[in-house]
Amino acid sequence: MKAFIFDLDGVITDSAEYHYLAWKALGEDLGIPFDREFNETLKGVSRTESLERILRLGGRENDFSVEEKGRLATKKNEHYVSLISNITSADILPGIEVFLSDLKEAGYKVGMASASKNAQMVTHQLGLLDAFDHIVDAATVTDSKPHPEVFLKAAAALQVEPKDCVGIEDAVAGIEAIHAAGMFAVGIGDPEVLTEAELVFTDTSILTLDHVLARI
Ligand code: BG6
Ligand code: MG
């Protein structure tokens, strides 16, 4: 392996929880309440596709024009941005800083493949911009996860073959994207949800370079 490519939300920081809270509030406004189990199907999925999935859940997919959907997505994003506005390096998930510095020390390339348009801003707030050799976010990608584009772009920018990359994800759609890119998939979360990953850690505190290398 030559490179490690990380998802952001739910892997580097717990922003996945804030995405959930903001979508849940919008869903309730629209009369479409949903639980954490449904939220698993939103993880890793783009802003517009997440909205479509929520509207479909409530049978309201034909109730809004493109402009209205744009306003709903903006409303969710404004709420999400307000929820994350105070995050700092204290919000980096346990073990991640040590893991990132171990990777650098061992000479691996380190990339980010995020479905979020807020990825640069969140990474900046966490004080981690320098920890990544390259960040690919939703702004430069046409097809969102589970399509492999974001991971393939990250590998290309790092000048590493996909087969020599490890992808790290908390979302089912993200694990699919890693596999579609031809990479080794490490999941962060519930092994019963992330069933397709080669290796799953229940949380980042036990994610170490030694543990991953021992399993490749
Ligand atoms: C992904 C999250 O990283 O980014 C999703 O897992 C989110 O929950 C998606 O919807 C898009 O994020 P944003 O910040 O562009 O709305
Ligand atoms: Mg994620």
Side-chain angles (χ1 to χ4, degrees):
M1 290 297 163
K2 296 181 180 149
F4 282 69
I5 302 176
F6 292 77
D7 173 44
L8 170 66
D9 295 317
V11 171
I12 303 291
T13 185
D14 203 11
S15 42
E17 183 66 13
Y18 298 128
H19 279 295
Y20 169 58
L21 294 174
W23 281 128
K24 192 172 159 57
L26 186 81
E28 278 162 12
D29 283 354
L30 297 171
I32 311 172
F34 61 85
D35 57 14
R36 284 182 185 273
E37 194 183 340
F38 176 76
N39 185 60
E40 289 298 328
T41 69
L42 303 181
K43 283 188 181 173
V45 172
S46 73
R47 194 181 305 170
T48 47
E49 177 57 21
S50 297
L51 177 62
E52 292 294 342
R53 289 184 186 197
I54 293 166
L55 294 177
R56 270 203 302 278
L57 175 72
R60 301 201 63 190
E61 63 269 40
N62 299 320
D63 289 2
F64 301 96
S65 66
V66 173
E67 292 72 28
E68 284 166 333
K69 285 180 187 174
R71 278 196 289 277
L72 292 173
T74 299
K75 186 175 174 195
K76 179 270 173 179
N77 189 55
E78 285 170 357
H79 185 188
Y80 171 72
V81 168
S82 80
L83 291 173
I84 59 162
S85 63
N86 294 322
I87 65 167
T88 66
S89 58
D91 296 286
I92 299 168
L93 282 168
I96 290 293
E97 280 180 286
V98 173
F99 188 50
L100 289 169
S101 65
D102 285 352
L103 289 173
K104 275 277 163 70
E105 211 166 287
Y108 292 97
K109 298 267 184 68
V110 181
M112 182 187 286
S114 174
S116 172
K117 292 185 176 159
N118 294 297
Q120 294 278 350
M121 185 261 285
V122 171
T123 310
H124 170 72
Q125 273 186 227
L126 296 172
L128 284 179
L129 282 177
D130 291 341
F132 294 91
D133 298 304
H134 193 83
I135 293 174
V136 182
D137 63 28
T140 53
V141 167
T142 317
D143 294 308
S144 56
K145 300 170 188 177
H147 193 281
E149 183 182 1
V150 66
F151 281 98
L152 291 173
K153 278 205 162 138
L158 298 173
Q159 298 181 301
V160 175
E161 292 290 321
K163 67 173 177 45
D164 298 326
C165 295
V166 176
I168 308 183
E169 266 285 353
D170 69 320
V172 173
I175 300 289
E176 275 182 52
I178 292 170
H179 282 156
M183 299 177 185
F184 184 94
V186 173
I188 304 294
D190 185 344
E192 289 184 12
V193 174
L194 305 174
T195 51
E196 301 303 313
E198 275 81 11
L199 180 57
V200 179
F201 295 92
T202 48
D203 68 80
T204 55
S205 65
I206 50 173
L207 170 70
T208 65
L209 182 53
D210 286 347
H211 274 146
V212 177
L213 293 181
R215 292 288 302 274
I216 291 176

